[in-house]
Amino acid sequence: MTDASLPERLVKSRQRVADHGEVFTPSWLVDDMLNLVKNETARIDSRFLEPACGSGNFLVAVLARKLAAVEARHGRSDFEKRHYALFALMCVYGIELLPDNAAECRANLREVFEVYLGAAPGDEWSRSAEAVLAANIVQGDALKMTDSAGEPITFPEWGYVGKGRYQRRDFHFENLAQRSTATAGLFSMFEEHEIFTPVRSYPPLTVKDLAA
C-alpha cells in the first residue's frame, strides 16, 4: 500500500507506458467512478471484475467499501464479521497482463483485508485470503481470455452458505463473458440444463480448508 501523505505514482516508467500503455487511475477518479454504482459497491455479494487491474486501485477501493458494509451489518458478531469479510474479498476479481502488477494487486488487497480483521500476516485468515486471491486475480490477457500459460482464464464463483462454509464452482471466463452480455452479471443464477456448466465444483469449504 502507498503512503497517503505522498503524491500518487500514476506511471512506473516511460518504457512501460510505451510498451503496455500502463497508466494508473488516480484515487479521486476511482472514487468518482465507483460513486456512479454506489449501491453495488455497498453490497457485500456484488461481484466486480477489473480486466486491467494493475496494482489494484479500483479493486482496493471496492473492497474497502464492501468491508464498510460488513462492519455495518455484521460488526457485532466476530464470527460473522470475519466470514463475511472473506466473502467480500471473494467477490472482487482482476486480470492483469504484467506479473509484478498482479502480485502487487494481490498483496494490496490482502493487506486491506488483514488490517480490517486485525489478522497477522501468515495466520489462518491471511492464508485463506491468499488462496482466494491466487484464484481471483489472474495474470493474463483479458482480450485473448487466456492466462500467462496460454490456458483459458478460469474464475471461481464463491458463495457463503453460512455457518462458516463457502461453496466454489469454477467457470471459464469466455463463457461467463458471453453470458454477461445477456444477463445482470458474470455469475447470475445458473439452471442445471444450461450450457454454461462449471468446469469444476468443490465440496463445502471452511477457512481452515482454504488456508491449508
Side-chain angles (χ1 to χ4, degrees):
M1 297 292 286
T2 58
D3 186 335
S5 66
L6 298 175
E8 287 188 271
R9 185 178 62 164
L10 303 182
V11 172
K12 285 188 174 181
S13 73
R14 292 182 180 179
Q15 191 61 50
R16 288 168 71 108
V17 175
D19 291 345
H20 306 290
E22 180 188 71
V23 178
F24 298 108
T25 309
S27 58
W28 66 265
L29 184 54
V30 169
D31 285 336
D32 282 353
M33 294 176 72
L34 292 181
N35 284 338
L36 296 174
V37 288
K38 190 173 183 178
N39 289 341
E40 289 300 307
T41 63
R43 280 180 49 206
I44 300 169
D45 63 344
S46 62
R47 295 178 173 92
F48 283 78
L49 167 65
E50 172 53 60
C53 65
S55 57
N57 288 13
F58 273 98
L59 297 181
V60 164
V62 169
L63 179 59
R65 293 182 182 215
K66 286 179 172 291
L67 293 177
V70 171
E71 184 65 28
R73 297 170 193 172
H74 304 288
R76 294 184 179 182
S77 166
D78 188 64
F79 181 89
E80 293 299 309
K81 170 182 172 177
R82 288 177 174 272
H83 284 88
Y84 274 101
L86 185 60
F87 183 44
L89 184 68
M90 289 171 167
C91 292
V92 294
Y93 300 83
I95 304 170
E96 171 54 35
L97 185 64
L98 302 179
D100 60 334
N101 284 343
E104 284 182 33
C105 182
R106 296 186 194 104
N108 288 337
L109 287 166
R110 188 180 70 248
E111 182 179 353
V112 171
F113 175 80
E114 289 173 346
V115 168
Y116 174 68
L117 288 189
D123 75 2
E124 187 172 76
W125 288 94
S126 177
R127 295 198 310 274
S128 66
E130 194 170 342
V132 168
L133 291 168
N136 281 29
I137 307 300
V138 175
Q139 183 202 343
D141 189 322
L143 294 178
K144 295 180 180 178
M145 299 187 181
T146 55
D147 62 20
S148 58
E151 297 296 322
I153 290 175
T154 300
F155 279 125
E157 175 202 34
W158 302 96
Y160 182 48
V161 295
K163 298 183 179 180
R165 297 181 303 158
Y166 302 92
Q167 62 182 15
R168 173 179 174 176
R169 300 188 301 169
D170 291 351
F171 295 88
H172 284 316
F173 176 47
E174 181 178 10
N175 287 346
L176 294 173
Q178 291 173 357
R179 181 174 177 79
S180 70
T181 61
T183 62
L186 287 178
F187 292 107
S188 56
M189 295 301 292
F190 288 86
E191 299 294 338
E192 291 298 323
H193 66 274
E194 293 192 68
I195 190 172
F196 300 104
T197 55
V199 295
R200 184 178 178 183
S201 296
Y202 297 76
L205 299 165
T206 65
V207 169
K208 184 176 181 179
D209 296 326
L210 291 166

